[in-house]
Amino acid sequence: ERSLCNDTNGLTLCFQDWNVTWYTPHPDLTQCFQHTVLVWFPCFYLWVCAPFYCLYLRFYDNGHISISSLCCAKTGLCLCLAFFGFLEMVYLLHTARNTLCPQILAVLVIHLERLKGFRSSIFLFLFWTLAVICSLVPLRANIQAIIDEGFSADAMRFVAFFTFFSLQLAQLILSCFADQRPATLKPNPCPVEDASFLSKVLFWWYGRLVVKGYRSPLKAEDLWSLREEDTSEKIICDLEKEWAKQEGAMNGAQALGYKLSEQTQLLRKLHKEQSSGFCLLRTLAKNFGPYFLTGTLYLVIQDVFMFSIPQVLSLLLGFVRDEDAPLWKGYVFAFLMVLLSCLQSLFNHQYMYTCFTVGMRVKTAVMGLVYRKSLVINSAARRTCTVGEIVNLVSADTQKLMDFVVYFNAVWVAPIEIALCLFFLWQRLGPSALAGIATVILIFPLNGFIAKMRSKLQVQMKYMDGRIKLMNEILSGIKILKFYAWENAFRERVLGYREKELNALKKSQILYSISIIAFAMFGVYVLIDEKHVLDAEKVFVSMALINILKAPLSQLPFAMSTTMQVSGSTVIQTFERLYVDGVVIDNGTFSWSKDSTPCLRRIDVKVQRGSLVAVVGHVGSGKSSLLSAMLGEMEKKSGHVTVSGSVAYVPQQAWIQNATLKDNILFGCERKDSWYQKVLEACALLPDLEILPARDATEIGEKGLNLSGGQKQRVSLARAVYRKADIYLLDDPLSAVDAHVGQHIFEKVIGPNGVLKNKTRILVTHGLSFLPQADLILVMEDGEITEMGSYAELLSRKNTFADFVKAFSPSFENENANDVEEHIFTFLSILFNEVETWEVPVYKPWRPYLTQNRSRTRRKLGDSPRLTKLIQVKLEMYVDYFRTIGLAFIIPIIFLYAFQQAASLTYNYWLSLWADDPVVNGTQVNTDLKLGVFGALGFAQVFGTTVAISLGGIIASRHLHLDLVNNVLHSPMSFFESTPSGNLLNRFSKEIDAIDCMIPDGLKMMLGYVFKLLEVCIIVLMATPFAGVIVLPLTLLYAFIQSFYVATSCQLRRLESVSRSPIYTHFNETVQGVSVIRAFGEQSRFILLANSRVDHNQTSYFPRFVATRWLAVNLEFLGNLLVLAAAILSVMGRSTLSPGIVGLAVSHSLQVTGILSWIVRAWTDVENNIVSVERVKEYAETTKEAPWTIEDSPLPSDWPRSGSIGFQEYGLQYRRGLDWALKEISLSVNEREKVGIVGRTGAGKSSLALGIFRILEAAKGKIFIDGINIAEVGLHELRSRITIIPQDPVLFSGSLRMNLDPFDGYTDEEVWRALELAHLKNFVSGLPDKLNHECSEGGENLSLGQRQLVCLARALLRKTKILVLDEATAAVDLETDNLIQSTIRTQFEDCTVLTIAHRLNTIMDYTRVIVMDRGHITEMDSPSNLISQRGQFYRMCREAGLV
C-alpha cells in the first residue's frame, strides 16, 4: 500500500479509483487518500491561515482575559493531542507524520486570543470541524476493521485512534463555547458580545430574552445595553471626524475660488449645495461601508448555495429515474440538498443581520446629525423648515434610509441572479429558455414602470408632510380653535390632505404575476420541435430555478424605488438646504435670510460694559430683531460685530422645558443654595413656590402648561439671572407680569441697584417708567436707530421720542411696563397653555414630589402606563379593523385567494402528470392540449387579490384616521394639557402610516403564504403519505416556536413605540427653544439628552430585528427537516413513485423554509402593526367635550341680541379634587356695559373667560346670556356668537385671509375694512401678496404686536354682541395700545365688553370694575367709587401711579 502511494502512476490511481469510491454499492476512499489528504488538509488550513489571523489579532484589542477553566481545558486537550501525535509518530511511523505541529500552533493561538480579549475563535472552530470531518472516514474504516478482524488484531492502533478522535471531538465541542468577558461596567451587557461563534451564527444568544418575554411582560430594564459601536456617541463622533475631512476636501478645492468671476463662483456655490447631500452619503458609506461589505460577502456565498440546490435536485431526480443506481447515492443527494439548504439560510440571515445593524447605525447617525443641524441652522433655514418637517425627517425619512441599506444590494445582485437563472435554464431547455428571457425582458420595463410609480409615492410623502405639519399647528393652537369654534374648518383642511395622500397610495398598488414565465418557456420548448420531451428532471429543475427567479424579480422594483426615494430623500435635501452660519455678529445691515430685504439698516451701537441700554419703538420697528442680530441669529449683509463675554437671553415668549421648576432655573448649572435663593427672591418667585404643590420640585408640563404667563416669564428671567453671564439680552420680560411685580423685578434685578447692576443689560421695553434709569436709550423705527442717548438728552432734543413721552406722560408718569400678554412660545405653544390665573397648577398634582430623576424620566419617556398594557394584542383590534373594512369586502377576498391557490395546485399537478407521460417514438402525445390546459391554469392564478386587500386597507385607514381626527378635535382642553404633543404627533404620523401601508402589506403576504403552505403540504402528502408523520410534529413545533416569538416581538415593538415619542418631543422642544439654548451655550447638554433618547429607543429596536433572525433560522431548520423527509421517503419509495411526483414533492418542499419564515414575518408584522389600530382607537375612549351643535335647538338665529350676562353661584375647578378656581360667583352684566376685571396672578380673572366660553364646564351654578343657560347650547353655537381677543396671538400657516376668515364667510371688502380698523391696512397693502400673504408656522414672519393686531381684526370681522379681551394689548407699544382701545370703544360701543387687564389705565373709563382675589369677587363698582373706597383697587392704582 505504501509503495503504491510512492509510485507516480499508483498515486494517480490512488486519488482516482472511482470503482472504489462511486461505482459500487459499498463506497469507500482509498487508504492512500485517507492517510494523506485527510490528514494534511486541516494542517494545511491551519498553517496557511495562521499568519494572516495573527496579523488580524495584532490590530484587535478588547482587553485581557484571565486564565479560565475553559482556556485550561482547551490547552490541556491540545497538549494531549500533541502528545498522541508524538506517540503515533514514534510507534506507528507509517501514518500521521505531520500531526504534531498543528496542535502546538493551536495552543499558541488560544493564548494569543486570550491576551487580546478574543472570547470565541471562528478560526480554531473551523480547524477542529475540519479535523473531525476528515477523521470520520478513518473512523468508519476502523469500526469496519474491528467488525471484520476483531479488536485484538491491532488493539494498540485502535485505542490510539479512538482516543485521538475523542479528544478532537471534545476540542470541537469546547470551541462551541465562549470564554468569559473581561470585567465590564455595563449594567446589562448585550449577550452577542459573549456569544460563541456557533451561537452567533444560529442566534442562540438571543434565546434567553425570548423566553423571558414569553413568561412575563418585558420592561425597559430587561433590555440589554447597546454595544459601544451602536451608541450615538461613538457613531456620531466617528461620523463628524469623517464629515470634517470631506468638508475640508471640498473647501480646500474651493479655496482657490476667490480669483474666479462672480458667475463661476455662483456655479461653485450651487455645486457645493448639491454635493453636500452626496457628501452625507459618502461619509455614511466610508463609516459603515466595511461592515456592510462583509454582509455583501455573505450574500454572494448564499447565492452560490442557492444555485447549487437545483443542480442537486437534478441529480436526485436522475437517481429516481435510474432504477439500477445504488440506494446510498439517493441518501447522499437528499442529505446534500438539505445541507446546502441549511447553509444557504445561515448565510442569508447573517447578511440580513449585518444589513439591519448597519441600517440601525445609519438611523442613529442621521437622527444625531439632524438634531445637531437643528441646533445650528440659521433663522432663514428655520423658516423654510418647520418643526413638523423636522419631526417627519426623524421618523419617516430615516426609515427610508434603513430600507435603502437593506435593499441596496438587490439593485446589482438581482440582475446577476436573473442572468444565472436564465443561463441554467438554457442548459436544461436550450433556445426555449429565450422565451423565458423574452418574458423577463418584457417584465423589466414593467418593473421600471412599477419602480417609477412607487417613487411617485414621494407625492404621498409630500401630502403626509403637509398633514403632519398642519396637525402640529392644530395641536399647538387648539385653544384658539376652540375659542373661535374653528375646528371644522381645520378638520376639512386635514381631510383634504388625507384624501390626496390616500389617492396617491391607491395608485401605487400595482401587481403582476410570474407564472407566465414557466408557461412561455415550456410552451416554446414543446412547440419548437415535437421531439422535445418534458421529463421530470427538466420540468422540476426549471421550476426550482423559476422559484429562485421570483425573489430577485419581486425585489428589484422595490430596491429600485427605495434607491430612487433615498436619492430624493428629504434628509439629503435638508442637508443641502440647512447651511450652517457660524457667525456671531452685530453692527451693520441684517436680514432674516440671504435673499430677503434687510430688516435692520445702518445699525451703529456701542454698549459700554456694565451699562443698562433700553430699546424702545413701535410694533414691528425691529427691537427683537436687534437682539437676534446680537445673538447671531440673523444674516449679516454688511458691517462688523463683536460680542465679548458670555451671553444670557430672555426671549419675548418664555420657553419652558418639560422638567422641574428647579431644573428650568438651573438649566444644567450646579446648584448653589445662597445664590439660588437670592435669584428666586429677586425674580419674585418665592410667593409662587408657596402655591406649587412640590415647591421647586414641581414638574412643569410641556411648554409650561401649569404656569401662568407671568410665572413663565419670571422663570425664564430667573434662568438667565442664575447664569451669571457678562451680557444680558432681555426681550421685554416685564410685559407679562403685574405692575407691582414688574416694579419689584426692575428694582431687584435689572435696575441700577439690582443683582445684575454690574452686568451689561440690553432691555427691550414698552414701559416708560423705567427709561429714566437707563444709561442709554435706542429709539427704533422701521429697522433703523433714529435716536440714541440718555433719557434727559432725548427729551432735550424735542424729537419723536420727546413728543411720544409728553403725549403719554400725564397718565404714564409712573407706568410700569404693564404690557400684559402672557408670552408663550409660538411654535407649539398654545397646546398646553392654561391662562394666566391658575391658583393651583393642574399638572399631575397628585404626584407632588417628583424628586427622583430616574422615575421622572421614565414617566416622561413613555405614554401613560394605561397605553402600554403589555399583553398580547387583543382579538378585538382585529375585529375592529375587519369590521371597518366590512364583511362584504372580506369574504370575496378569501374566496379569490382560495381559488387562486387551487388553480396553482392543479397547475403544478398537471405539470407532474405531463412529466410522467410516456414517450412514444421520441414524442409525447397531445402536447397542444396539455399546453392549453397548463396555460389556462397559469393565467387563472393572475387575480387582483393583492389589489383587493390594498383597497380594503385604504377603506380601513380612511375611517380610522377620520375617527382619530374627530376624537382629538372633540377632546376638551384638559386632554391636551395632560397629553404630550409628541404622543399625539406619533399617532398621526407613525401609527397612521402603519395602518396605511404595513397592515395591508402584512395581510397580503400572510394570506398568500398560508394558502401556498397548504398547497405544499397537500402535494407532499399526495406523493409520500408517510410524510404526515413528520408534518404533524413539525406543525406543533412551528406553532410553539412562533408563539414564543410573537409574544416577545409585540412587546419589543410596544417598547420601541413608547420610547420613540420622547425623541420627537425633545426635537420639538429643542427647535422651539434653539435661540435660548444657543444663547446659554447649552448645546452639548442637549445633544447628550438627545443621544440618550435615541439610544434608549435603539435598545428596543436592536432586539426586535434580531428576533426575526432568531425565528427565521430556527424555522428554516424545521422546514429543512420536511425537505429531508420528502427526499428520504422519495428515495425509499422510488420503486412505487414516478419521477414526476417525486420532483413535484421535493421541489415544493424546498419552498417550505421560505414560506414558513415569511408567514411568521407577515403575521408578526400584522400583530406588531395592529397595535397601531389600538393606539389610534385609544382616543375614542377619552372624555369628550359637550356636542358642538344641538339639533332642533330653540336658539334664535340672532342670539345674543342684547348681550347681557348673568352668573348664578358659579363655581369652577380645573379638575375634580383640585381647589376651586372660582367660588360661588354671582354677578349680572347689563347689555352694552363695559366691565374691567383685575386682580393679582392666580386670582381667577382668566378662569371667568374660560367659563363663559365653556372651555371649562361649570362645577356648580350657571351662566346665562340673554336669559339662556349656556350649558344647554351647542359649543359651536355658543363660541361662534361671542368673541375673544386672547392672550396668545396665534396664527396658523396659510394665507393671512385664511387666518382672519377660515370659513370664507366674509367678502374681501369686509376683511379690508376690519384690517383698516385694526391699523393693519397699510402694512398688509404693502405686502406683495396682500391678503394672500403666506404666514409661516405660528405666524413667525410677523412681529408679536402685528399678530395681536390680526387677532383684533378677527374680532372686528365677527362683530358679536359680547367681546372678551384677555389682556390682549400686552405685546404692543403704548401708542398702538391707545389706537386699539379707541377702536374698541367706537366699534364695540353697542356691545358688552369684558376686559381682563393689567394696564389699569385702559379700564379707568369703564362702567364697572371687578376686583378678584383667590376666586372671589372682593370689590365691584365704578372705578371712581372704588378709588374713593381706598380698598384693593385703590392700592393697585397707586402702585401703577394712577392716583
Side-chain angles (χ1 to χ4, degrees):
E1 183 185 282
R2 285 184 58 187
S3 61
L4 184 71
C5 281
N6 293 332
D7 171 37
T8 314
N9 297 328
L11 188 64
T12 312
L13 184 65
C14 159
F15 286 126
Q16 289 186 349
D17 195 352
W18 291 107
N19 294 323
V20 175
T21 309
W22 191 250
Y23 303 111
T24 169
H26 303 292
D28 202 353
L29 291 171
T30 60
Q31 284 294 313
C32 176
F33 190 89
Q34 287 183 42
H35 292 306
T36 52
V37 176
L38 292 188
V39 173
W40 293 337
F41 184 62
C43 305
F44 182 73
Y45 158 79
L46 194 69
W47 278 110
V48 169
C49 299
F52 299 105
Y53 185 62
C54 291
L55 195 67
Y56 164 70
L57 283 179
R58 192 179 160 199
F59 295 106
Y60 179 97
D61 194 8
N62 201 18
H64 171 91
I65 302 173
S66 52
I67 295 179
S68 63
S69 50
L70 182 70
C71 181
C72 292
K74 284 181 181 175
T75 310
L77 285 177
C78 265
L79 292 172
C80 286
L81 281 166
F83 177 66
F84 264 95
F86 178 71
L87 284 181
E88 205 169 16
M89 190 172 74
V90 172
Y91 289 109
L92 310 158
L93 284 170
H94 66 283
T95 60
R97 269 164 253 164
N98 298 301
T99 54
L100 173 64
C101 297
Q103 284 84 21
I104 299 295
L105 183 58
V107 171
L108 294 175
V109 170
I110 287 170
H111 285 280
L112 184 60
E113 285 173 341
R114 184 180 66 78
L115 293 173
K116 290 290 185 180
F118 212 80
R119 296 198 291 281
S120 173
S121 174
I122 176 177
F123 176 65
L124 289 179
F125 175 80
L126 289 176
F127 169 67
W128 295 120
T129 307
L130 284 174
V132 168
I133 289 171
C134 290
S135 299
L136 288 176
V137 178
L139 177 72
R140 176 181 169 273
N142 278 305
I143 292 169
Q144 193 65 47
I146 291 171
I147 293 167
D148 295 343
E149 304 164 17
F151 184 73
S152 51
D154 199 349
M156 189 69 181
R157 186 164 64 90
F158 290 145
V159 168
F161 176 81
F162 285 124
T163 312
F164 192 76
F165 180 77
S166 307
L167 289 172
Q168 277 186 328
L169 195 60
Q171 271 290 22
L172 176 61
I173 292 166
L174 285 181
S175 64
C176 294
F177 296 97
D179 220 327
Q180 290 308 303
R181 61 164 51 225
T184 177
L185 298 172
K186 284 187 191 170
N188 189 3
C190 182
V192 70
E193 297 178 357
D194 295 326
S196 66
F197 164 67
L198 201 61
S199 175
K200 280 179 187 168
V201 169
L202 297 168
F203 297 97
W204 285 344
W205 56 270
Y206 185 78
R208 230 178 266 167
L209 189 73
V210 180
V211 175
K212 192 182 244 182
Y214 183 73
R215 285 184 178 157
S216 61
L218 287 177
K219 297 190 282 294
E221 302 84 75
D222 297 329
L223 303 178
W224 315 303
S225 309
L226 282 180
R227 295 175 294 180
E228 192 200 351
E229 58 267 34
D230 293 332
T231 56
S232 300
E233 195 179 350
K234 174 90 173 88
I235 288 170
I236 291 168
C237 186
D238 294 349
L239 209 62
E240 280 179 331
K241 281 181 200 160
E242 189 56 46
W243 180 269
K245 274 189 215 164
Q246 301 271 0
E247 288 274 277
M250 276 167 62
N251 295 339
Q254 285 166 4
L256 307 166
Y258 64 92
K259 293 178 183 168
L260 303 173
S261 68
E262 273 187 37
Q263 192 180 7
T264 320
Q265 289 215 4
L266 182 70
L267 286 170
R268 274 279 171 92
K269 183 175 175 239
L270 283 170
H271 170 69
K272 184 177 177 185
E273 293 203 351
Q274 281 176 341
S275 61
S276 170
F278 291 113
C279 188
L280 169 67
L281 279 179
R282 202 163 52 233
T283 309
L284 291 172
K286 278 224 168 167
N287 272 49
F288 306 123
Y291 186 60
F292 182 69
L293 286 175
T294 58
T296 309
L297 179 67
Y298 294 142
L299 178 66
V300 172
I301 297 170
Q302 185 253 167
D303 274 3
V304 171
F305 289 130
M306 182 170 74
F307 281 106
S308 311
I309 293 169
Q311 311 306 320
V312 179
L313 175 65
S314 165
L315 294 172
L316 181 67
L317 293 175
F319 160 78
V320 173
R321 199 177 58 241
D322 178 6
E323 291 174 8
D324 300 330
L327 208 56
W328 67 266
K329 285 187 185 178
Y331 293 129
V332 166
F333 296 144
F335 278 108
L336 184 59
M337 196 155 63
V338 173
L339 180 67
L340 290 172
S341 209
C342 289
L343 287 171
Q344 182 205 336
S345 59
L346 285 183
F347 277 98
N348 180 33
H349 294 301
Q350 284 304 314
Y351 163 66
M352 294 301 280
Y353 172 72
T354 310
C355 278
F356 275 105
T357 307
V358 172
M360 178 178 85
R361 289 174 189 173
V362 166
K363 179 179 166 186
T364 300
V366 171
M367 275 184 171
L369 289 176
V370 168
Y371 185 76
R372 281 155 182 72
K373 203 74 166 182
S374 65
L375 279 174
V376 292
I377 55 175
N378 60 16
S379 45
R382 210 158 64 240
R383 276 153 199 257
T384 60
C385 167
T386 63
V387 180
E389 285 176 328
I390 287 181
V391 168
N392 211 29
L393 210 65
V394 174
S395 59
D397 286 40
T398 47
Q399 190 57 47
K400 285 205 173 38
L401 269 170
M402 287 172 69
D403 289 345
F404 168 69
V405 170
V406 176
Y407 290 100
F408 170 69
N409 274 329
V411 173
W412 66 270
V413 170
I416 295 173
E417 287 177 349
I418 291 166
L420 277 171
C421 279
L422 296 175
F423 167 71
F424 287 124
L425 285 168
W426 178 283
Q427 274 191 329
R428 301 271 152 209
L429 302 175
S432 311
L434 286 172
I437 296 170
T439 318
V440 171
I441 290 168
L442 286 173
I443 285 177
F444 256 113
L446 181 64
N447 273 359
F449 175 68
I450 287 169
K452 212 167 184 183
M453 291 298 290
R454 285 268 162 114
S455 71
K456 281 188 181 165
L457 218 71
Q458 286 291 73
V459 183
Q460 178 229 340
M461 291 300 301
K462 187 179 78 184
Y463 295 132
M464 183 177 166
D465 274 2
R467 179 171 62 81
I468 302 299
K469 184 176 152 189
L470 182 60
M471 267 327 295
N472 193 5
E473 290 193 63
I474 288 174
L475 297 175
S476 308
I478 190 75
K479 192 182 205 174
I480 300 300
L481 294 190
K482 292 201 175 297
F483 271 138
Y484 289 131
W486 278 0
E487 292 101 328
N488 276 332
F490 280 81
R491 176 176 165 272
E492 290 313 313
R493 282 181 69 195
V494 170
L495 296 180
Y497 274 119
R498 180 70 180 150
E499 209 45 50
K500 288 175 183 166
E501 191 185 342
L502 289 178
N503 285 337
L505 203 61
K506 253 185 228 171
K507 286 176 191 161
S508 75
Q509 304 290 356
I510 289 178
L511 93 160
Y512 60 92
S513 182
I514 232 146
S515 23
I516 48 176
I517 299 179
F519 169 68
M521 271 191 309
F522 295 153
V524 171
Y525 182 69
V526 294
L527 293 176
I528 287 176
D529 184 348
E530 60 178 23
K531 295 282 186 202
H532 280 175
V533 172
L534 277 183
D535 60 13
E537 198 176 321
K538 281 196 184 85
V539 169
F540 292 108
V541 173
S542 303
M543 289 301 278
L545 287 164
I546 289 170
N547 283 332
I548 289 176
L549 192 58
K550 281 184 186 182
L553 275 180
S554 59
Q555 271 182 4
L556 201 59
F558 191 73
M560 281 155 70
S561 75
T562 310
T563 311
M564 283 180 188
Q565 281 190 9
V566 163
S567 59
S569 163
T570 337
V571 175
I572 291 166
Q573 289 169 358
T574 308
F575 265 81
E576 290 162 18
R577 191 170 68 200
L578 310 184
Y579 251 89
V580 180
D581 295 296
V583 209
V584 186
I585 42 177
D586 200 88
N587 260 9
T589 308
F590 299 91
S591 66
W592 280 111
S593 65
K594 282 185 175 143
D595 315 319
S596 62
T597 51
C599 52
L600 292 177
R601 291 176 297 280
R602 294 186 283 283
I603 303 292
D604 194 6
V605 189
K606 190 173 183 187
V607 179
Q608 290 190 341
R609 186 164 287 191
S611 61
L612 168 60
V613 178
V615 183
V616 295
H618 293 301
V619 168
S621 61
K623 302 184 296 297
S624 298
S625 301
L626 182 65
L627 295 194
S628 296
M630 291 174 180
L631 282 169
E633 295 282 317
M634 292 182 76
E635 201 63 60
K636 183 182 71 160
K637 295 273 189 179
S638 64
H640 185 71
V641 188
T642 328
V643 177
S644 53
S646 57
V647 177
Y649 171 55
V650 180
Q652 196 171 10
Q653 292 183 302
W655 174 69
I656 304 293
Q657 276 187 283
N658 182 0
T660 62
L661 187 77
K662 182 173 70 203
D663 291 344
N664 265 292
I665 294 172
L666 298 180
F667 203 57
C669 291
E670 200 181 325
R671 176 169 175 166
K672 292 176 182 145
D673 276 335
S674 57
W675 177 239
Y676 181 68
Q677 288 305 323
K678 199 171 177 182
V679 169
L680 288 180
E681 195 274 324
C683 295
L685 279 167
L686 290 175
D688 299 293
L689 293 190
E690 300 304 322
I691 305 173
L692 294 171
R695 294 184 61 83
D696 63 355
T698 305
E699 180 129 354
I700 309 299
E702 204 173 335
K703 287 174 288 301
L705 72 95
N706 46 336
L707 297 179
S708 73
Q711 287 168 331
K712 280 194 277 195
Q713 196 58 277
R714 294 201 300 280
V715 170
S716 178
L717 183 65
R719 173 201 294 149
V721 175
Y722 190 82
R723 218 353 102 116
K724 291 188 176 172
D726 302 322
I727 298 164
Y728 281 83
L729 305 180
L730 310 168
D731 196 351
D732 205 7
L734 303 176
S735 62
V737 296
D738 300 333
H740 67 291
V741 179
Q743 191 64 43
H744 170 93
I745 288 176
F746 188 81
E747 284 169 9
K748 297 279 189 177
V749 179
I750 301 165
N753 303 315
V755 290
L756 301 180
K757 60 176 181 279
N758 300 322
K759 308 288 188 184
T760 310
R761 292 142 291 157
I762 298 165
L763 170 71
V764 171
T765 183
H766 290 137
L768 292 180
S769 63
F770 306 130
L771 298 183
Q773 300 178 63
D775 301 312
L776 180 69
I777 297 169
L778 308 179
V779 183
M780 297 204 66
E781 208 170 312
D782 286 337
E784 294 189 30
I785 297 176
T786 52
E787 294 182 71
M788 191 189 316
S790 68
Y791 187 71
E793 282 170 19
L794 292 178
L795 282 182
S796 64
R797 285 182 203 159
K798 295 192 165 70
N799 285 344
T800 330
F801 178 75
D803 301 341
F804 178 73
V805 170
K806 283 198 178 76
F808 289 99
S809 194
S811 58
F812 280 78
E813 193 64 39
N814 245 334
E815 175 59 39
N816 297 323
N818 315 337
D819 315 33
V820 280
E821 180 181 7
E822 174 177 343
H823 291 309
I824 315 97
F825 207 78
T826 327
F827 260 132
L828 276 153
S829 56
I830 298 59
L831 186 51
F832 300 136
N833 167 42
E834 254 313 341
V835 207
E836 170 58 19
T837 59
W838 295 17
E839 192 165 308
V840 180
V842 303
Y843 190 75
K844 314 266 176 169
W846 54 89
R847 278 207 306 251
Y849 299 101
L850 303 171
T851 44
Q852 283 189 333
N853 234 348
R854 191 175 173 81
S855 65
R856 187 171 68 244
T857 314
R858 197 164 299 137
R859 188 160 26 251
K860 272 190 286 182
L861 279 182
D863 304 4
S864 72
R866 185 176 56 79
L867 306 192
T868 47
K869 291 182 292 220
L870 294 174
I871 50 171
Q872 209 166 357
V873 181
K874 296 187 249 25
L875 192 63
E876 63 228 43
M877 285 308 133
Y878 288 101
V879 175
D880 270 346
Y881 183 75
F882 291 123
R883 193 186 291 130
T884 321
I885 297 177
L887 205 60
F889 213 91
I890 291 168
I891 293 171
I893 290 178
I894 301 286
F895 271 117
L896 275 174
Y897 264 105
F899 178 76
Q900 186 177 329
Q901 223 51 54
S904 168
L905 176 62
T906 321
Y907 168 90
N908 285 308
Y909 190 60
W910 183 261
L911 201 53
S912 80
L913 292 176
W914 188 353
D916 285 339
D917 214 32
V919 179
V920 182
N921 300 329
T923 62
Q924 287 173 317
V925 290
N926 300 335
T927 41
D928 297 355
L929 170 69
K930 286 170 186 157
L931 187 63
V933 174
F934 182 56
L937 289 168
F939 282 104
Q941 295 173 52
V942 188
F943 268 100
T945 44
T946 50
V947 172
I949 286 194
S950 301
L951 292 178
I954 285 172
I955 292 171
S957 63
R958 178 183 281 122
H959 283 303
L960 288 167
H961 178 264
L962 185 63
D963 290 348
L964 179 63
V965 173
N966 288 340
N967 284 326
V968 168
L969 289 179
H970 277 84
S971 297
M973 272 312 296
S974 55
F975 166 78
F976 296 99
E977 285 153 9
S978 55
T979 311
S981 58
N983 291 6
L984 284 166
L985 278 180
N986 199 9
R987 297 291 188 279
F988 279 101
S989 55
K990 192 80 180 176
E991 311 297 352
I992 287 289
D993 190 39
I995 294 170
D996 282 352
C997 308
M998 312 294 280
I999 295 179
D1001 286 355
L1003 285 173
K1004 241 186 289 192
M1005 222 157 62
M1006 193 166 91
L1007 276 172
Y1009 283 115
V1010 163
F1011 279 103
K1012 185 74 189 162
L1013 185 65
L1014 276 174
E1015 180 194 339
V1016 172
C1017 288
I1018 292 168
I1019 286 174
V1020 172
L1021 290 172
M1022 275 166 56
T1024 53
F1026 270 115
V1029 178
I1030 305 286
V1031 170
L1032 193 66
L1034 279 187
T1035 313
L1036 294 173
L1037 202 54
Y1038 169 75
F1040 178 67
I1041 290 178
Q1042 89 90 37
S1043 64
F1044 267 87
Y1045 167 73
V1046 172
T1048 306
S1049 175
C1050 286
Q1051 291 167 46
L1052 287 170
R1053 150 81 201 211
R1054 281 171 194 249
L1055 285 171
E1056 200 246 339
S1057 217
V1058 159
S1059 63
R1060 203 185 310 117
S1061 292
I1063 298 177
Y1064 303 158
T1065 307
H1066 185 65
F1067 265 69
N1068 267 342
E1069 204 169 63
T1070 304
V1071 176
Q1072 294 159 25
V1074 70
S1075 49
V1076 177
I1077 295 167
R1078 291 209 284 236
F1080 281 81
E1082 283 289 313
Q1083 293 97 320
S1084 54
R1085 187 167 65 86
F1086 276 77
I1087 283 172
L1088 284 176
L1089 269 173
N1091 281 359
S1092 71
R1093 288 178 184 209
V1094 170
D1095 286 353
H1096 181 73
N1097 178 242
Q1098 299 290 41
T1099 49
S1100 43
Y1101 176 75
F1102 176 69
R1104 213 183 110 199
F1105 77 72
V1106 178
T1108 319
R1109 308 273 70 82
W1110 172 85
L1111 172 85
V1113 166
N1114 283 304
L1115 287 193
E1116 289 185 14
F1117 273 83
L1118 279 187
N1120 287 330
L1121 288 178
L1122 185 65
V1123 177
L1124 186 63
I1128 295 282
L1129 290 168
S1130 303
V1131 171
M1132 287 163 70
R1134 70 168 169 171
S1135 51
T1136 55
L1137 294 174
S1138 66
I1141 202 83
V1142 169
L1144 188 64
V1146 176
S1147 66
H1148 269 70
S1149 66
L1150 278 171
Q1151 296 175 41
V1152 168
T1153 52
I1155 293 172
L1156 287 183
S1157 49
W1158 277 113
I1159 287 177
V1160 174
R1161 212 167 298 172
W1163 184 351
T1164 312
D1165 274 354
V1166 175
E1167 281 269 79
N1168 280 341
N1169 288 301
I1170 209 86
V1171 178
S1172 298
V1173 176
E1174 179 187 18
R1175 289 165 76 91
V1176 165
K1177 281 274 196 187
E1178 228 147 28
Y1179 291 136
E1181 297 156 19
T1182 54
T1183 49
K1184 301 288 172 279
E1185 55 186 2
W1188 286 346
T1189 53
I1190 294 174
E1191 284 180 30
D1192 309 324
S1193 164
L1195 202 64
S1197 58
D1198 57 350
W1199 176 86
R1201 236 172 259 161
S1202 63
S1204 64
I1205 307 171
F1207 289 82
Q1208 243 184 38
E1209 295 189 351
Y1210 184 75
L1212 192 67
Q1213 284 174 298
Y1214 279 99
R1215 294 218 187 112
R1216 197 171 289 166
L1218 291 187
D1219 285 3
W1220 293 82
L1222 294 175
K1223 302 166 189 169
E1224 300 195 3
I1225 302 283
S1226 291
L1227 153 77
S1228 65
V1229 179
N1230 304 322
E1231 58 184 275
R1232 302 181 62 178
E1233 196 175 1
K1234 309 291 179 276
V1235 178
I1237 304 168
V1238 296
R1240 309 265 185 220
T1241 294
K1245 305 185 297 291
S1246 296
S1247 304
L1248 221 48
L1250 296 182
I1252 294 172
F1253 280 84
R1254 285 176 62 197
I1255 296 292
L1256 290 173
E1257 296 288 0
K1260 60 186 283 192
K1262 296 170 185 167
I1263 300 178
F1264 294 94
I1265 293 180
D1266 278 11
I1268 291 178
N1269 183 355
I1270 63 167
E1272 293 163 8
V1273 178
L1275 287 181
H1276 277 189
E1277 290 159 340
L1278 168 69
R1279 292 169 185 170
S1280 61
R1281 300 195 193 185
I1282 56 180
T1283 303
I1284 187 166
I1285 302 180
Q1287 278 183 312
D1288 323 305
V1290 172
L1291 268 59
F1292 298 94
S1293 60
S1295 70
L1296 194 59
R1297 196 187 193 302
M1298 188 283 300
N1299 270 293
L1300 291 166
D1301 173 27
F1303 291 102
D1304 283 334
Y1306 301 94
T1307 63
D1308 277 5
E1309 290 72 33
E1310 289 171 309
V1311 174
W1312 277 112
R1313 172 86 185 117
L1315 286 172
E1316 187 176 1
L1317 293 168
H1319 313 288
L1320 275 172
K1321 187 173 182 181
N1322 292 345
F1323 168 70
V1324 177
S1325 50
L1327 294 169
D1329 296 331
K1330 310 256 184 312
L1331 285 177
N1332 292 323
H1333 172 69
E1334 199 62 31
C1335 298
S1336 63
E1337 188 178 6
E1340 283 288 288
N1341 51 359
L1342 300 178
S1343 80
L1344 206 57
Q1346 286 166 335
R1347 299 208 285 274
Q1348 195 71 67
L1349 294 175
V1350 171
C1351 292
L1352 174 64
R1354 284 176 186 163
L1356 290 160
L1357 204 52
R1358 285 165 75 121
K1359 200 71 189 295
T1360 56
K1361 281 288 177 186
I1362 295 176
L1363 173 69
V1364 179
L1365 285 149
D1366 193 354
E1367 306 174 356
T1369 54
V1372 294
D1373 57 274
L1374 303 176
E1375 196 176 350
T1376 315
D1377 188 12
N1378 261 19
L1379 290 171
I1380 291 174
Q1381 295 299 339
S1382 64
T1383 304
I1384 288 168
R1385 285 185 184 93
T1386 53
Q1387 294 303 312
F1388 293 96
E1389 193 181 0
D1390 57 345
C1391 305
T1392 306
V1393 179
L1394 299 179
T1395 300
I1396 295 166
H1398 277 177
R1399 276 186 185 163
L1400 300 183
N1401 63 294
T1402 58
I1403 56 164
M1404 293 309 274
D1405 59 345
Y1406 277 26
T1407 46
R1408 254 196 300 176
V1409 170
I1410 296 171
V1411 183
M1412 298 195 68
D1413 188 32
R1414 299 192 172 235
H1416 292 287
I1417 295 177
T1418 54
E1419 298 174 14
M1420 178 166 59
D1421 209 332
S1422 68
S1424 53
N1425 288 353
L1426 288 175
I1427 288 171
S1428 63
Q1429 288 167 16
R1430 301 208 157 214
Q1432 195 175 343
F1433 184 67
Y1434 168 75
R1435 288 196 298 278
M1436 291 169 80
C1437 289
R1438 196 177 62 206
E1439 284 169 4
L1442 295 174
V1443 292

